[in-house]
Amino acid sequence: MEALPAARKSLFVPEPARILRKEKLTAKETLFEVAIDKRSLGHKPCQFVEVSIAGIGEAPISVSSSPTSSATFDLCVRQVGSLTRAMHALEPGAQIGIRGPFGNGFPVEKIADKEVLFVCGGLGLAPLRSLILYCLENRGSYRRLVTLYGAKRPAERLYEKELLAWRKDARMELHETVDIAENGWTGHVGVITTLFDRIEVDPLETVAVVVGPPVMYKFVVLELLKRGIMESRIFMSLERRMRCGLGKCGHCQMNGIYVCQEGPVFCYSEVKKVREAL
Amino acid sequence: MKTLVLSKLDVPAFVRELQKRGKVVGPRRKESQFVFDEIRDPEDLALEYPTTILPPVRHLFPHQERLLHFQRKDVAASDEIVEGEPLILLGVHTCDVQGINILDEVFSDSPYDANYLARRAQTKVIALECQGPCSQYNLCLDKGTHRLEGGYDLLLIDLGDRYFIFTRTAAGESMVAETAFLRPATPVDREALGKAREMQSASLKPRLSGPVNRLPSALKEAYDDLLWEAIGRRCLSCETCTMVCPTCYCFDVDDEVAFDLNHGVRCRLWDSCQSHRFAEVAGGENFREKASHRQRHRLFKKEVFQFEKYGRSACVGCGRCSAQCVASIRLTDMYNQVLGG
């Protein structure tokens, strides 16, 4: 026993944080601007936090804002389980608990001086937005920024106002699609891989970052490989239900990998042979 | 290291000595089986037992453990609960000691688990070497867990009318320092010890059809084997195999609110990779939807993933998962099948 480390403070205790602003993005998703009472979060793009409401429990939520922005951070929350339902009922001023940030975050140094292709489906825009905003803020460090975004329906598009602004923003190319055209949608219709025909990428200079529902990855990766993008330059955030964030509880385990600690961002070349990963 | 001898007649006195140092938890009879429970009356101690229903490590990682008190209206008032009390685990079979060693390694791996470590820091382990096989399913000889390199404070070996005692740690030395009924081991005792261990070696049989160190590679080769489908058809996903395992540590976290709805406790509870929803992710997709995948994951976690991370297996060969499987799925059979037996 002498060799074991001494017990330290429990890592399960959440820090008090406050909801500063609430903005309904879609019927199911709401953006919460949050601040921890005594410090700034200090996250990296694509990291997540455990959001806690006493009496309800905890849920892992991706941080959706750029790490360089301010003392506050954004959480884009889909109303899907008991915690997220309870969170949607909270108003600005309400208190929540935060643990984290957890996970490895995106290795931003690996995309410097490259053409960056963001491919995101549905709620995948929530974590990827933290990286997209970071790249826009540091636009001079990248040759080109291209975003492909696919949603199921027009009404399910997240950050609609921001998408409109990005569309006009010369710093980035944005291509959008929906699976089902409704409500007067005049844009592209089809699964996200159909957007690849709209862009030219330089395979030797491009880094792709993919975030979306599990079913999306294999099809998008096929497209990327078909266009000659190297396996080591395809990054993806693999979401699992991360309960403790500490690499112990086992829920997010993907073979021998604890996604909450070693992920959620992985390089395709690392995980292509990991069963249960994709 | 000291070598001492304890007469079996003095075991109750020894237990009473230990009780002065903390809560003594040891094997006692429960109906036709045995459990690790608090020994208040030394007469309840049943050191000659085959194995217990649950491993003793469950006293360090309890089924339900409180993590924090919360006030529903004030997160800042959340107060961590890190519990522990002076605890002596007495008569722990060597395979179960190895189970504790494995959880020590997992929970002290960064980031530390303060809750486990607080209990562990106050726990002393008195190990007991088995004299022979405890069931037809134990794999301790194959796994090398019938003898120990460490992880205990004292080690007892049954010599018939007395126990031979090795001290291993300063805490172990202290536990036997002022006990008048213990005497130093003599050459006669040492000879008896040698004989006891010879008899133990002769009575334990290997159960695996191939070398145990081939298991990680053999399992990997068998990843897509039809074996898993066959097991999946029988497995009821009742989770018993993981609940009785000395090295399973997956958990879930749940809030319990008090009747006044103003405060409560956040708890962690044992969870099982064998439950259907365990690997479900947001959106409802499930990466281990079939029982066959979950059973494969269980074995891979024991023999492949932990081997790759820590350089050792996480199966101590206690045989509980086999003995208590309601669908008669036997670990030995699965291992032998992948080893080509």
Side-chain angles (χ1 to χ4, degrees):
Chain A
M1 259 313 284
E2 281 76 7
L4 289 186
R8 297 181 181 186
K9 201 172 161 58
S10 167
L11 299 175
F12 288 101
V13 180
E15 284 179 81
R18 214 157 283 282
I19 296 172
L20 303 179
R21 190 171 67 85
K22 188 180 172 188
E23 182 188 340
K24 199 169 167 64
L25 295 179
T26 71
K28 280 192 290 187
E29 283 102 3
T30 296
L31 175 76
F32 296 88
E33 189 182 348
V34 178
I36 298 181
D37 289 358
K38 288 187 178 159
R39 64 173 177 109
S40 63
L41 182 64
H43 69 289
K44 296 180 200 157
C46 299
Q47 280 193 305
F48 70 97
V49 291
E50 292 284 344
V51 173
S52 159
I53 297 178
I56 308 286
E58 280 190 327
I61 309 281
S62 301
V63 182
S64 196
S65 50
S66 166
T68 51
S69 57
S70 66
T72 71
F73 57 97
D74 292 348
L75 300 174
C76 171
V77 182
R78 175 176 284 177
Q79 190 167 309
V80 67
S82 53
L83 186 281
T84 52
R85 262 198 303 277
M87 191 162 173
H88 272 240
L90 296 176
E91 294 302 330
Q95 197 191 45
I96 55 173
I98 294 286
R99 288 194 299 126
F102 293 120
N104 56 356
F106 192 86
V108 283
E109 67 287 351
K110 296 205 172 155
I111 55 174
D113 300 322
K114 299 282 187 304
E115 296 190 8
V116 189
L117 173 62
F118 303 105
V119 186
C120 48
L123 197 51
L125 184 57
L128 202 49
R129 178 175 175 257
S130 64
L131 181 62
I132 294 173
L133 293 178
Y134 176 86
C135 291
L136 283 173
E137 287 164 13
N138 300 281
R139 182 62 185 85
S141 305
Y142 311 100
R143 291 188 187 199
R144 185 181 169 207
L145 299 178
V146 182
T147 302
L148 308 183
Y149 177 43
K152 202 172 271 175
R153 294 182 161 83
E156 292 179 22
R157 293 159 68 234
L158 299 173
Y159 299 109
E160 201 176 350
K161 278 185 256 170
E162 226 159 292
L163 290 170
L164 194 67
W166 287 351
R167 192 176 293 283
K168 294 174 185 162
D169 193 333
R171 295 177 299 169
M172 178 168 70
E173 293 164 46
L174 170 70
H175 299 273
E176 277 198 83
T177 185
V178 295
D179 293 347
I180 303 159
E182 288 174 340
N183 303 340
W185 175 260
T186 55
H188 187 81
V189 180
V191 292
I192 191 152
T193 44
T194 59
L195 286 180
F196 279 82
D197 296 333
R198 302 193 145 202
I199 52 163
E200 286 288 323
V201 293
D202 178 351
L204 298 178
E205 295 299 335
T206 301
V207 172
V209 189
V210 189
V211 192
V215 65
M216 194 186 93
Y217 289 92
K218 58 186 88 153
F219 297 107
V220 168
V221 167
L222 270 177
E223 280 299 327
L224 295 169
L225 295 176
K226 214 159 78 184
R227 279 163 169 77
I229 296 170
M230 282 185 275
E231 290 181 347
S232 60
R233 290 205 184 149
I234 301 175
F235 291 90
M236 42 189 57
S237 179
L238 300 182
E239 192 198 309
R240 293 293 186 272
R241 203 162 273 173
M242 298 159 285
R243 304 291 285 173
C244 70
L246 308 171
K248 302 280 193 281
C249 81
H251 284 266
C252 71
Q253 202 177 355
M254 194 173 74
N255 280 358
I257 298 166
Y258 283 89
V259 176
C260 69
Q261 293 275 306
E262 295 167 60
V265 179
F266 295 96
C267 184
Y268 177 64
S269 52
E270 283 172 348
V271 289
K272 67 172 185 174
K273 289 200 174 139
V274 176
R275 311 295 281 262
E276 301 177 348
L278 296 171
Chain B
M1 185 182 71
K2 278 190 186 139
T3 52
L4 300 158
V5 168
L6 168 68
S7 162
K8 283 193 176 173
L9 295 173
D10 292 325
V11 168
F14 183 51
V15 172
R16 279 191 288 275
E17 278 299 316
L18 295 175
Q19 283 169 334
K20 293 176 191 165
R21 296 167 179 270
K23 180 172 153 184
V24 176
V25 166
R28 57 183 290 177
R29 189 173 280 280
K30 183 174 187 179
E31 305 289 332
S32 62
Q33 301 194 67
F34 292 85
V35 292
F36 264 90
D37 200 0
E38 182 171 5
I39 303 296
R40 289 201 176 89
D41 180 350
E43 295 302 319
D44 291 337
L45 183 71
L47 282 177
E48 287 158 41
Y49 69 105
T51 192
T52 50
I53 301 168
L54 293 178
V57 73
R58 294 313 203 183
H59 287 268
L60 296 169
F61 181 59
H63 170 249
Q64 180 167 342
E65 181 172 29
R66 302 181 312 158
L67 299 175
L68 57 105
H69 284 292
F70 59 76
Q71 296 291 329
R72 289 195 69 189
K73 295 275 157 60
D74 185 8
V75 176
S78 294
D79 198 9
E80 66 174 346
I81 308 174
V82 179
E83 295 176 319
E85 61 182 325
L87 179 70
I88 296 157
L89 294 176
L90 170 61
V92 182
H93 283 168
T94 50
C95 64
D96 282 337
V97 174
Q98 184 57 17
I100 295 170
N101 294 343
I102 287 170
L103 286 206
D104 285 354
E105 189 166 24
V106 167
F107 283 122
S108 59
D109 200 5
S110 179
Y112 306 136
D113 188 284
N115 299 79
Y116 177 89
L117 292 175
R119 289 178 197 278
R120 184 65 182 97
Q122 298 185 69
T123 301
K124 305 288 172 279
V125 176
I126 302 179
L128 174 66
E129 261 181 29
C130 302
Q131 289 180 294
C134 60
S135 80
Q136 55 184 309
Y137 308 115
N138 71 290
L139 292 163
C140 53
L141 186 65
D142 303 87
K143 291 284 184 179
T145 52
H146 59 306
R147 300 277 171 83
L148 280 175
E149 298 280 312
Y152 56 85
D153 297 288
L154 296 177
L155 172 66
L156 310 183
I157 299 128
D158 192 337
L159 300 183
D161 60 345
R162 62 199 189 279
Y163 288 104
F164 196 97
I165 299 180
F166 285 101
T167 64
R168 175 93 188 181
T169 62
E173 301 255 335
S174 144
M175 277 193 276
V176 294
E178 289 163 29
T179 39
F181 44 81
L182 289 169
R183 62 168 174 81
T186 63
V188 176
D189 298 316
R190 274 179 229 289
E191 200 185 323
L193 171 72
K195 279 189 184 148
R197 284 187 153 168
E198 269 173 37
M199 279 172 66
Q200 183 214 40
S201 297
S203 69
L204 291 171
K205 297 275 178 277
R207 302 198 198 275
L208 294 184
S209 57
V212 72
N213 58 12
R214 261 205 64 223
L215 270 176
S217 60
L219 277 162
K220 279 179 165 173
E221 285 160 25
Y223 191 92
D224 293 312
D225 203 288
L226 287 174
L227 159 75
W228 310 113
E229 285 301 317
I231 291 163
R233 276 197 290 275
R234 286 160 59 196
C235 176
L236 303 172
S237 299
C238 70
E239 308 171 17
T240 301
C241 52
T242 51
M243 294 295 136
V244 300
C245 178
T247 69
C248 275
Y249 56 88
C250 288
F251 59 85
D252 205 353
V253 176
D254 198 21
D255 284 8
E256 282 187 5
V257 185
F259 280 119
D260 66 6
L261 301 181
N262 290 327
H263 64 97
V265 283
R266 180 160 292 170
C267 300
R268 74 166 156 201
L269 304 112
W270 295 351
D271 202 350
S272 168
C273 63
Q274 299 307 300
S275 84
H276 180 257
R277 296 193 62 186
F278 189 82
E280 201 179 81
V281 303
E285 185 141 345
N286 195 331
F287 283 85
R288 283 193 291 279
E289 199 156 16
K290 295 165 77 177
S292 56
H293 297 164
R294 297 193 289 273
Q295 281 289 342
R296 178 175 60 195
H297 178 77
R298 176 170 79 94
L299 264 60
F300 270 67
K301 182 152 182 179
K302 301 287 171 211
E303 301 294 352
V304 181
F305 308 149
Q306 291 224 19
F307 187 83
E308 286 169 352
K309 188 163 185 182
Y310 299 110
R312 49 118 183 102
S313 158
C315 169
V316 300
C318 69
R320 287 183 178 94
C321 57
S322 301
Q324 296 185 37
C325 176
V326 292
S328 304
I329 296 168
R330 311 296 183 211
L331 189 70
T332 326
D333 296 346
M334 292 195 276
Y335 282 164
N336 282 338
Q337 214 154 333
V338 297
L339 287 170

